[in-house]
Amino acid sequence: MPPPLEAHVTRWSQDPFACGAYSFVAAGATPDDRVALATPLGRSVFFAGEATHTGYPSTVHGAYLSGIAAAKAVRRAARAGRRAA
């Protein structure tokens, strides 16, 4: 696996004006955009977070539930990889 080409880090917890951050649905966006954010790249890169959950976006439980879903997807991919080997 090659190293990442770039990374973006938010420091919202240190911003005296923001005091937090969460996703929102922009004008023209649809729930399908959140589904696209959650779509894995192959069988090795998986995504989770409140921005990827269609039922509970912008919430802690949305982040938690999306993490569980991503972990299950990782497990399925790992099992499929073992069967293919």
Side-chain angles (χ1 to χ4, degrees):
M1 178 74 67
L5 298 178
E6 73 180 270
H8 297 273
V9 178
T10 61
R11 304 235 187 274
W12 58 263
S13 64
Q14 299 169 6
D15 183 336
F17 301 106
C19 298
Y22 54 89
S23 66
F24 67 96
V25 179
T30 70
D32 290 340
D33 296 322
R34 291 188 186 277
V35 172
L37 284 173
T39 302
L41 297 177
R43 289 191 302 209
S44 58
V45 180
F46 298 83
F47 300 97
E50 52 83 21
T52 66
H53 200 281
T54 58
Y56 299 103
S58 307
T59 64
V60 172
H61 53 287
Y64 175 76
L65 293 171
S66 73
I68 290 173
K72 289 178 180 179
V74 168
R75 184 172 46 191
R76 281 192 304 273
R79 287 179 177 164
R82 283 195 303 264
R83 283 193 298 268

